[in-house]
Amino acid sequence: MSALTLVLKDKSATSLDLSALTPAALSGLKPTALRRLRIPAGGRQAALGDLFEISGDDPRTLRLHGLHGGCHRVGHGMREGRIEVKGSVGDELGREMRGGELRVSSDAGAGAGMGMRGGFIQVNGSASDALGGLTPGATRGMNGGVLIVTGNVGARCGERMRRGLVVVGGDAGDYLGDRMLAGTILVLGRCGAHVGFGMRRGSLLLAQAPASAAPNYRDCGEFEFGVLTLLKDYLAGFHPAYAKRLAAFSRARRWCGDMLYGGTGEILVAADG
Amino acid sequence: MKINGVTIDNTFAEAFPMKATRIIVTARNETWVEHAVRAMTGFATSVIACGCEAGIERRLKSSETPDGRPGAAVLLFTMSNKELIKQVQNRVGQCVLTSPTSACFAGLEQGDPIPLGKNLRFFGDGWQLSKKLGAKRYWRVPVMDGEFVCEENTRVVKAIGGGNFLILATDQDSALAASERAIVAMQKVAGVIMPFPGGVVRSGSKVGSKYKTLPASTNHLFCPTLKGAVRSELSADVGAVLEIVIDGLDAESISEATRVGVLAACRGRKHGVLRISAGNYGGNLGPFHFKLRTILK
């Protein structure tokens, strides 16, 4: 058996909702049924076979090639298996994902990992706003799993995040960890304004100090944090190179806050950051 | 059966089921690891009056511990889950949490979870922080030298307590030297502890007493000073007897510890060891029987 591979035929096709394409949803489908599978495509329904060249027969690993920013909701609700995307994806990558592995070779749109509860997402490019954020109507954002973006991310990364680990290899936009409830966000580049606004608990690990100090945070001093060694080992299972970068946090300055919300959240800034 | 001139009695050690957990304690350096684990495993020689039997299984290199610092693996044994929960909480809370630079982790991946840092976290008085990494949750409790990091749960497994053998020698010095050789060899076996002082016990006991309030009393049949007064198990040339008690996570570990311990005790020239025996209760007390001659075959 070989990995089920779908190559987008028409690069101009936009507004494709690919939420139906998960390893679990496609397992057991015969080739004919697979080709006839209806996909929302810009206000109409199109057959999967008309949109994609299909090869391979093992949906436990699903390869989506030639995607672009108009291909949305890749890996929506995914629970198991593996999706490998060659190209970029649109909004809501891995929305409400619960398990499995999802890798994108280039950029992702807004809301990647929104409402995510488990599994692993890696975007080898940049991601737009609301990474690991909330689904519409929800009170909590990302609630588990690991989400790595090697490039930059937009505003409100980790908004109302409850659990899990987000790693940003590049820069983060404004309102990083906005109203965060718990969990961990590591940013290896710079971050924008209003870091940790309204944060209740959780940890923001910043390799570089924010340009402006968060107003409702209090400086607690510089320390060694044993828990970061545990985090380093955990991250090494997903991205060894980024785990090594945690060495910069061997000593970190701790800011606790948001003091308007109990002060049990923290911003840890690498000592040499 | 003889090993290096030492008679191996045709008998067995009788052991009984226990509950056990392994806890890993780390600290800034070996000195503070030692302080923490020695305090934690203090007054833990026998469940008869200590609540648990505990000991240091082995020292761990930095590369072997969860937080990359020097550490030690400690095994605790009790007769019930309930008692183990209490002992873990009290001993970690009073001896590890209090020890400078310490951290504490579960040392078993299998078994039923019981609280490790789950309740101790409340020492943080609301300032404690949780960090869940994968399936494991850790608590960070603010203390005066920084943070005490402790895994939320440890695991309990079925284990065996009361494995033992007796070293019968011509005199105290010979018995002590043989015991020391045995303990050094047995400490290299994984999954076992010898909970008595230095791993050795001189007050071997029998069940019951002429005094109704005592659950156990001296094993008079193995006391050399009573040889003429009772139906002694000792021949005229035996001047001292020492016992090594072994608690283990499984029967294989106890058997291996017994084997290497007896061989070490019998090693050398002019060792003064006359016999190796074992303590049992006729097979009526514990379901685990460690037959000396089978183990040493």
Side-chain angles (χ1 to χ4, degrees):
Chain A
M1 292 177 82
S2 59
L4 181 61
T5 304
L6 279 63
V7 182
L8 188 63
K9 293 179 188 172
D10 182 3
K11 305 295 186 213
S12 65
T14 58
S15 301
L16 299 181
D17 180 348
L18 302 184
S19 57
L21 306 182
T22 63
L26 299 184
S27 70
L29 284 186
K30 291 181 179 172
T32 314
L34 190 63
R35 281 195 300 275
R36 287 179 180 166
L37 188 70
R38 309 297 284 179
I39 298 291
R44 62 186 180 90
Q45 299 276 319
L48 191 66
D50 294 337
L51 293 169
F52 292 91
E53 292 283 356
I54 302 174
S55 61
D57 51 4
D58 184 1
R60 286 176 297 185
T61 297
L62 175 60
R63 291 181 180 145
L64 303 173
H65 290 184
L67 300 196
H68 52 67
C71 302
H72 305 292
R73 292 184 175 171
V74 172
H76 182 166
M78 180 175 172
R79 288 173 179 266
E80 60 191 28
R82 180 183 170 99
I83 297 179
E84 298 170 359
V85 176
K86 199 173 268 187
S88 300
V89 294
D91 297 342
E92 301 182 14
L93 170 75
R95 173 179 169 157
E96 296 174 87
M97 181 173 171
R98 288 170 181 258
E101 191 177 327
L102 179 44
R103 291 178 186 269
V104 178
S105 70
S106 189
D107 299 336
M114 60 159 46
M116 179 179 179
R117 293 188 180 186
F120 172 59
I121 299 176
Q122 181 166 330
V123 177
N124 289 318
S126 293
S128 188
D129 297 343
L131 183 83
L134 304 100
T135 54
T139 57
R140 292 175 173 184
M142 180 174 169
N143 200 14
V146 176
L147 176 45
I148 295 176
V149 176
T150 61
N152 302 327
V153 300
R156 290 180 287 111
C157 170
E159 182 181 11
R160 297 289 288 176
M161 179 175 173
R162 175 66 181 81
R163 193 174 288 131
L165 172 63
V166 173
V167 180
V168 179
D171 301 338
D174 295 345
Y175 290 98
L176 173 69
D178 181 44
R179 296 173 296 144
M180 192 168 162
L181 298 170
T184 306
I185 302 177
L186 166 64
V187 178
L188 295 169
R190 294 167 299 175
C191 57
H194 311 297
V195 177
F197 176 81
M199 182 181 184
R200 288 183 181 276
R201 294 187 302 277
S203 305
L204 294 178
L205 277 64
L206 308 181
Q208 298 179 37
S212 59
N216 295 320
Y217 282 77
R218 299 289 177 267
D219 186 0
C220 298
E222 196 177 293
F223 305 97
E224 292 176 21
F225 291 94
V227 73
L228 296 184
T229 310
L230 303 173
L231 178 64
K232 183 182 170 188
D233 284 352
Y234 179 63
L235 181 56
F238 299 95
H239 200 298
Y242 283 169
K244 283 183 185 169
R245 299 274 297 272
L246 271 174
F249 290 83
S250 59
R251 285 187 72 80
R253 180 161 289 276
R254 182 171 193 265
W255 298 75
C256 69
D258 186 325
M259 298 308 288
L260 289 179
Y261 294 88
T264 50
E266 64 180 356
I267 300 174
L268 300 179
V269 181
D272 57 353
Chain B
M1 183 182 196
K2 280 185 183 284
I3 295 175
N4 197 22
V6 180
T7 302
I8 308 298
D9 283 3
N10 187 15
T11 187
F12 60 91
E14 190 171 350
F16 40 86
M18 295 186 87
K19 295 294 175 74
T21 187
R22 179 189 280 136
I23 291 173
I24 293 172
V25 177
T26 67
R28 173 63 69 101
N29 55 43
E30 287 86 353
T31 301
W32 286 102
V33 171
E34 208 63 22
H35 285 312
V37 295
R38 287 207 177 275
M40 183 186 174
T41 57
F43 187 58
T45 55
S46 169
V47 288
I48 293 173
C50 303
C52 75
E53 297 177 10
I56 302 165
E57 183 188 15
R58 69 185 185 100
R59 274 73 180 176
L60 302 170
K61 296 176 199 162
S62 304
S63 57
E64 298 175 293
T65 62
D67 64 356
R69 303 190 302 167
V74 169
L75 294 176
L76 289 96
F77 294 79
T78 61
M79 301 304 286
S80 68
N81 261 20
K82 189 178 172 187
E83 184 64 26
L84 193 57
I85 290 168
K86 182 178 146 193
Q87 291 292 330
V88 165
Q89 184 163 316
N90 287 347
R91 287 170 184 273
V92 175
Q94 299 304 310
C95 306
V96 182
L97 165 66
T98 56
S99 180
T101 76
S102 68
C104 199
F105 305 95
L108 293 170
E109 295 295 329
Q110 306 296 325
D112 299 326
I114 62 166
L116 183 59
K118 192 175 187 174
N119 297 326
L120 296 175
R121 76 179 196 259
F122 294 114
F123 183 72
D125 198 27
W127 294 101
Q128 68 272 20
L129 302 171
S130 154
K131 194 55 64 189
K132 190 169 185 193
L133 300 174
K136 292 184 177 177
R137 185 186 293 282
Y138 302 93
W139 286 99
R140 300 163 55 194
V141 181
V143 285
M144 294 196 299
D145 73 344
E147 286 183 343
F148 172 59
V149 176
C150 191
E151 197 168 332
E152 177 162 78
N153 293 316
T154 183
R155 302 275 176 175
V156 181
V157 293
K158 290 180 181 174
I160 302 169
N164 68 80
F165 63 91
L166 300 163
I167 300 169
L168 287 66
T170 53
D171 52 68
Q172 266 190 357
D173 286 346
S174 299
L176 202 56
S179 301
E180 289 171 0
R181 286 196 301 275
I183 289 298
V184 168
M186 295 167 77
Q187 282 172 336
K188 293 173 185 161
V189 178
V192 298
I193 57 162
M194 285 63 73
F196 282 93
V200 187
V201 54
R202 62 100 171 260
S203 58
S205 60
K206 65 177 181 291
V207 176
S209 162
K210 68 181 283 187
Y211 305 107
K212 287 180 182 173
T213 53
L214 286 185
S217 62
T218 191
N219 193 357
H220 60 277
L221 301 182
F222 281 86
C223 292
T225 57
L226 299 179
K227 270 185 293 191
V230 300
R231 192 174 53 80
S232 179
E233 290 280 345
L234 308 178
S235 54
D237 49 354
V238 175
V241 180
L242 289 175
E243 180 177 3
I244 294 179
V245 174
I246 312 160
D247 296 335
L249 295 179
D250 51 50
E252 291 72 26
S253 305
I254 293 178
S255 294
E256 177 62 8
T258 304
R259 189 183 70 80
V260 301
V262 170
L263 291 178
C266 300
R267 200 171 54 226
R269 298 164 66 183
K270 297 183 180 175
H271 46 58
V273 180
L274 301 171
R275 277 170 57 200
I276 299 292
S277 190
N280 64 62
Y281 312 92
N284 299 320
L285 190 69
F288 303 102
H289 298 166
F290 295 93
K291 296 176 181 169
L292 291 180
R293 291 187 176 181
T294 305
I295 289 170
L296 293 161
K297 196 158 52 182

